């Protein structure tokens, strides 16, 4: 666990709570929730015999199993023979209500491919799932029968509720639900989608609680086109990656390169090419050349655009920049991070092209100071907007860009900062330095 927290810190990932399901508060929440579901008549004891997939948490018909009694979904794990009394949650009772949920709220499960997987699974008919084991030395005792222990998903999913308790709150369901519930988004790996998209809403329905807005199952990574695994010896060490390239480059690559929700591939060559092209060459170069020219032609102060001499040239870029925030907001909302990056790069590319078209080095010789002032204000402000828009993905780089623009990065994020014209004119600019150091191309 400490390793995860250490990695989040190195990747500059912040969180409000790091919750585990071993706390006494969690036990109290589980007990209260269980009681609600019990009173609905949704929990019953039954002796079950059969082949059981631990990962699916369900009994399998012999005929659906592969050779060596392996689960078709979990082919590396042979099913276990079970012959014991278990408490079951009456998932089958919620079949129709779940199907109605998926129909009425198509956005509930995302992305679409995962939604289709879940619909396909549910349409085959839901089975009740086991929520207890006997003879376990750890875990939370079943409140109505302490000879049983609650087992895995019923307990684990309730970790989302106990994590909502404020420090010092009495551990009651009412306190847990008071402030942050219901959830807007569960962001999870695709392998645990079924538990979040089927079991969890059914449990909440049984407890008569509101459902989350959406469940998003993200994809998995391959490396150089191959599935990663210890046996192949090709696992990707995130610590080594951050150590070698810095957090911003790592964050940027994965969010830019992989359509969020799909599986994606990592190759070091592709990684270096992408971050060099986008962060060093496009964005870094835009800021660096704009600042250098401001030092050279405008005395190192943000110029004041005074005339409309080259407005036919700058106007399209300004229009693009003015609407950037409006285009990024839905991208971030829908977790389309690749689209967000593309939107920003389009503005950056337009700015670099604009500089070449206006050619301030020629205008300087011609003594056209007004055109230079207008151009440089346009590209400096567009660079500010671009780095602000990218700041959820590249926080360190964005703060450095603000510093080089003579600004302090705002403490509180707001779409207000994507308004055009925030960069104050006549701001004294520090000496520019490369925003993003180009990475050496691997051999
Ligand atoms: Zn399975």
């Amino acid at each position: 666990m400490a390793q995860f927290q250490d990695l989040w810190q190195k990747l500059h990932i912040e969180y409000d709570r790091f919750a585990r399901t071993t706390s006494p508060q969690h036990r109290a929440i589980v007990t209260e929730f269980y009681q609600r579901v019990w009173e609905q008549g949704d929990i019953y004891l039954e002796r079950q015999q059969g082949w059981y997939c631990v990962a699916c948490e369900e009994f399998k018909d012999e005929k659906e199993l592969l050779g060596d009694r392996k689960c078709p979904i979990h082919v590396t794990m042979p099913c276990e023979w079970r012959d014991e009394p278990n408490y079951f949650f009456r998932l089958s009772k919620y079949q129709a209500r779940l199907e109605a949920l998926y129909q009425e709220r198509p956005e509930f499960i995302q992305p679409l491919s995962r939604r289709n997987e879940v619909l396909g699974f549910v349409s085959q008919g839901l089975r009740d799932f086991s929520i207890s084991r006997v003879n376990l030395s750890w875990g939370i005792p079943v409140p109505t029968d302490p000879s049983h222990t609650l087992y895995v998903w019923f307990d684990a999913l309730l970790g989302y509720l106990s994590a909502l308790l404020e420090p010092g709150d009495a551990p009651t369901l009412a306190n847990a639900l008071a402030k942050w519930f219901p959830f807007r988004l569960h962001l999870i790996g695709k392998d645990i989608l079924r538990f979040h998209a089927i079991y969890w809403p059914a449990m909440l329905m049984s407890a008569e609680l509101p459902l989350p807005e959406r469940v998003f199952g993200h994809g998995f990574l391959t490396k150089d086109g191959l599935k990663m695994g210890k046996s192949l010896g090709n696992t990707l060490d995130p610590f080594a990656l951050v150590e070698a390239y810095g957090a911003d480059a790592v964050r940027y690559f994965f969010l830019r390169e992989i359509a969020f929700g799909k599986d994606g591939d990592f190759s070091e060559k592709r990684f270096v090419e992408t971050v060099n092209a986008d962060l060093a060459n496009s964005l870094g170069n835009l800021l660096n050349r704009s600042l250098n020219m401001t030092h050279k032609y405008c005395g190192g102060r943000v110029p004041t655009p005074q005339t409309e001499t080259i407005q036919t040239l700058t106007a399209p870029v300004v229009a693009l920049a003015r609407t950037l925030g409006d285009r990024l907001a839905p991208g971030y909302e829908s977790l389309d991070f690749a689209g967000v990056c593309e939107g920003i790069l389009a503005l950056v590319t337009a700015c670099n092209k604009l500089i070449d078209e206006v050619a301030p080095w020629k205008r300087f010789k011609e003594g056209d100071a007004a055109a230079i002032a207008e151009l440089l204000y346009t590209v400096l402000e567009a660079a500010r907007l671009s780095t602000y828009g990218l700041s959820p993905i590249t926080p360190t780089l964005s703060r450095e860009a603000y510093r080089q623009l003579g600004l302090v990065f705002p403490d509180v994020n707001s779409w207000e900062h994507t308004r055009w014209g925030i960069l104050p004119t006549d701001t004294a600019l520090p000496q520019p330095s490369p925003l993003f150091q180009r990475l050496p191309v691997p051999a």
Side-chain angles (χ1 to χ4, degrees), residues 259-271:
F260 202 66
K262 294 218 169 91
D263 290 343
D265 188 59
F266 176 88
S267 93
E268 194 168 21
K269 185 165 175 287
R270 181 77 194 145
F271 172 85

Side-chain angles (χ1 to χ4, degrees), residues 36-77:
R36 283 197 183 205
V37 175
W38 174 261
E39 282 161 16
Q40 292 284 345
D42 286 344
I43 293 171
Y44 62 92
L45 183 68
E46 191 167 275
R47 186 168 197 97
Q48 283 277 335
Q49 276 191 337
W51 294 102
Y52 185 85
C53 173
V54 176
C56 289
E57 283 223 23
E58 65 183 17
F59 286 93
K60 299 284 175 184
D61 289 334
E62 188 122 30
K63 62 177 187 312
E64 65 180 306
L65 297 177
L66 308 176
D68 296 334
R69 303 219 160 75
K70 282 173 179 157
C71 164
I73 302 163
H74 301 98
V75 290
T76 57
M77 304 174 72

Side-chain angles (χ1 to χ4, degrees), residues 258-416:
I258 298 161
F260 202 66
K262 294 218 169 91
D263 290 343
D265 188 59
F266 176 88
S267 93
E268 194 168 21
K269 185 165 175 287
R270 181 77 194 145
F271 172 85
V272 169
E273 283 170 358
T274 302
V275 295
N276 277 349
D278 295 357
L279 300 183
N281 297 357
S282 295
L283 181 58
N285 192 34
L286 169 64
L287 183 69
N288 198 251
R289 69 199 291 217
S290 305
L291 289 170
N292 276 319
M293 286 188 287
T294 308
H295 277 275
K296 199 165 173 185
Y297 305 133
C298 304
R301 289 182 171 269
V302 175
T304 308
Q306 283 163 342
T307 71
E308 296 176 353
T309 45
I310 57 162
Q311 219 176 37
T312 48
L313 292 175
T314 55
V317 173
V318 174
L320 202 58
R322 278 184 191 278
T323 54
L324 184 69
D326 293 340
R327 280 177 286 125
L328 297 187
Y332 275 119
E333 274 289 311
S334 62
L335 312 179
D336 175 18
F337 303 114
V340 162
C341 293
E342 274 164 34
I344 292 166
L345 282 174
L347 176 60
V348 168
T349 303
C351 287
N352 279 322
K353 193 160 157 269
L354 178 67
I355 295 173
D356 296 339
E357 279 169 11
V358 175
W361 43 94
K362 280 191 205 153
R363 306 262 177 178
F364 186 69
K365 282 184 198 151
E366 295 158 5
D368 190 352
I372 293 174
E374 191 180 328
L375 169 79
L376 290 180
Y377 187 84
T378 302
V379 292
L380 288 171
E381 174 63 346
R384 182 195 68 79
L385 276 165
S386 302
T387 51
Y388 186 78
L390 205 57
S391 62
I393 299 172
T394 58
T396 307
L397 176 145
S398 297
R399 275 162 182 76
E400 171 60 14
Y402 263 62
R403 190 193 66 76
Q404 294 202 28
L405 287 164
L407 301 170
V408 176
F409 195 85
D411 281 335
V412 179
N413 277 312
S414 157
W415 290 110
E416 270 298 292

